[in-house]
Amino acid sequence: MEAVVVDAGSKLLKAGIAAPDQAPPLVMPSKMKLDVEDQELADGAVVEEVVHPVVRGFVKDWDAMEDLLNYVLYRDIGWEIGDEGQILFTEPLFTPKTLREQLVQLMFEKFNVSGFYASEQAVLSLYAVGRISGCTVDIGHGKIDIAPVCEGAVQHIASKRLEIGGVDLTNLFAQELKKSNPSVNLDVADVELKEQYACCTEDYLTFEGIESSCQPEKHTLPDGQVITIEKEGYIVGEALFQPRILGLEDYGIVHQLVTSVSNVSSEYHRQLLENTMLCGGTSSMTGFEDRFQREANLSASAICPSLVKPPEYMPENLARYSAWLGGAILAKVVFPQNQHVTKGEYDETGPSIVHKKCF
């Protein structure tokens, strides 16, 4: 049986048999619905509770994660109890050692896998575009990871994590819509409009003038309420370049990239900056790539960052699935060449084996 690749994000879980040139066959919300007793209701009434196992990139609820993976691997992938296969997980930047050990322990002791491997998302995303060196800017649901990678190794000392992501932009969009539509009762589900309306202007000057030039647009919500959308979508996009909009005293995303690379040995600067990759669902926002490149061209760096163009044979929306696709490529190497953690090695050494075999 071919190896399974799992990329479990805060919002979406991507999984499937390793197929390097195809989008993941399974993309589903990273959440579980649990029936729990409500102590405040009479007769021990049961209510439905939504649990998110992964928060800002890291597993926070291991029981819910086990239930989610059980559903994915046995029901969707088609594993059978007693005949489990090999599995590769993607790892976000700065994953704590304890979480790595908990994952490998879960896989061998609860799922009885025959082989395990884990690799960092930054490395895998570059593999997806045929690179082993470069810099990834990964805008996830709960975080932004900026990671220089040299010869397949993440330069952790120069890498940076920003504790903002798509969820914070969604909340910002909701706040702005409530300001301009005070009489409308907005539900959280309605804020998914962000993906339809969020966009970036070509530069900051254009953003400053957007209020006078932006045409109002009416949108009817599922419950029949009508809202007016004007500059709110542009504010969401601008927040990536002007974090103060989110209340953060920090530099924009391009400045963060250049600063991260400056902390790597100068001999790698050109290789890193000229192989910059945008990934994560938010990076596909309308106008974001053009604005990023424009800002990069104006940066103080002696070498301007330039974006990697994905290979034509790769599926559309590569940025959304780059870590999974890179994992599928790597799985075709590590398992046939026995570079993974085997059941025997795990039994002999324990969970700490993950640090020796997966790096």
Side-chain angles (χ1 to χ4, degrees):
M1 180 187 293
E2 292 282 352
V4 170
V5 178
V6 176
D7 178 22
S10 305
K11 183 178 182 181
L12 297 174
L13 181 143
K14 285 80 72 178
I17 303 297
D21 56 352
Q22 299 174 24
L26 176 66
V27 180
M28 62 180 287
S30 294
K31 62 184 180 182
M32 293 292 293
K33 292 181 179 179
L34 303 178
D35 292 332
V36 296
E37 285 190 13
D38 192 325
Q39 304 298 328
E40 297 181 2
L41 297 178
D43 303 323
V46 174
V47 296
E48 193 176 78
E49 179 180 316
V50 177
V51 178
H52 297 271
V54 182
V55 178
R56 296 202 183 272
F58 299 138
V59 178
K60 298 297 183 183
D61 188 327
W62 284 98
D63 289 335
M65 190 65 183
E66 182 180 341
D67 290 341
L68 182 60
L69 290 172
N70 192 77
Y71 178 91
V72 168
L73 295 172
Y74 292 109
R75 179 165 176 172
D76 284 303
I77 303 297
W79 276 8
E80 294 182 1
I81 294 176
D83 188 28
E84 292 84 357
Q86 300 165 326
I87 195 164
L88 183 148
F89 277 85
T90 74
E91 287 184 336
L93 189 67
F94 301 133
T95 299
K97 285 187 174 183
T98 53
L99 293 189
R100 302 187 82 207
E101 292 178 7
Q102 283 176 283
L103 180 60
V104 72
Q105 183 176 7
L106 178 69
M107 285 296 103
F108 279 112
E109 296 186 12
K110 297 290 187 178
F111 289 87
N112 197 35
V113 298
S114 58
F116 174 92
Y117 200 81
S119 185
E120 290 185 277
Q121 292 166 353
V123 174
L124 298 177
S125 290
L126 286 171
Y127 285 169
V129 292
R131 306 289 196 280
I132 59 172
S133 296
C135 197
T136 60
V137 179
D138 186 349
I139 311 173
H141 181 63
K143 46 75 181 177
I144 297 176
D145 286 341
I146 299 175
V149 179
C150 299
E151 304 296 331
V154 174
Q155 305 301 296
H156 292 102
I157 195 169
S159 299
K160 182 158 189 181
R161 160 167 287 209
L162 306 176
E163 294 292 333
I164 59 173
V167 64
D168 303 287
L169 298 180
T170 296
N171 293 337
L172 173 65
F173 190 51
Q175 291 169 15
E176 295 299 323
L177 286 176
K178 286 176 182 176
K179 287 179 188 175
S180 54
N181 298 269
S183 62
V184 175
N185 183 25
L186 274 172
D187 186 79
V188 175
D190 299 328
V191 184
E192 291 302 321
L193 290 169
K194 181 198 75 175
E195 296 186 4
Q196 182 178 347
Y197 289 100
C199 54
C200 294
T201 57
E202 63 180 21
D203 54 32
Y204 181 63
L205 286 177
T206 306
F207 172 72
E208 283 193 312
I210 203 68
E211 192 162 6
S212 59
S213 62
C214 186
Q215 295 297 315
E217 194 170 338
K218 300 289 186 183
H219 184 94
T220 304
L221 299 174
D223 61 4
Q225 296 182 98
V226 178
I227 59 173
T228 301
I229 300 175
E230 296 183 74
K231 61 179 181 178
E232 294 84 5
Y234 292 101
I235 293 174
V236 170
E238 191 64 26
L240 292 169
F241 300 93
Q242 308 288 336
R244 58 182 172 76
I245 293 173
L246 286 165
L248 300 174
E249 294 298 323
D250 215 336
Y251 291 103
I253 197 165
V254 174
H255 187 280
Q256 300 281 6
L257 166 68
V258 172
T259 302
S260 288
V261 172
S262 70
N263 290 318
V264 181
S265 175
S266 60
E267 64 184 293
Y268 292 109
H269 286 184
R270 181 174 297 279
Q271 192 174 26
L272 292 172
L273 290 170
E274 292 184 351
N275 290 284
T276 297
M277 182 178 182
L278 302 178
C279 42
T282 303
S283 68
S284 58
M285 182 190 301
T286 302
F288 175 72
E289 185 175 316
D290 291 340
R291 172 66 179 277
F292 187 96
Q293 188 63 71
R294 180 183 287 264
E295 297 257 336
N297 292 341
L298 297 173
S299 71
S301 172
I303 303 167
C304 291
S306 56
L307 300 177
V308 174
K309 296 298 180 184
E312 292 182 1
Y313 57 82
M314 278 300 193
E316 293 183 15
N317 294 324
L318 173 66
R320 292 180 179 270
Y321 310 130
S322 57
W324 187 90
L325 289 163
I329 292 170
L330 185 60
K332 295 289 187 180
V333 177
V334 294
F335 292 112
Q337 295 185 6
N338 294 317
Q339 297 172 8
H340 59 284
V341 180
T342 66
K343 182 71 165 69
E345 289 171 327
Y346 177 81
D347 290 341
E348 181 179 341
T349 307
S352 63
I353 186 67
V354 70
H355 309 306
K356 299 175 183 176
K357 296 295 292 280
C358 306
F359 50 85

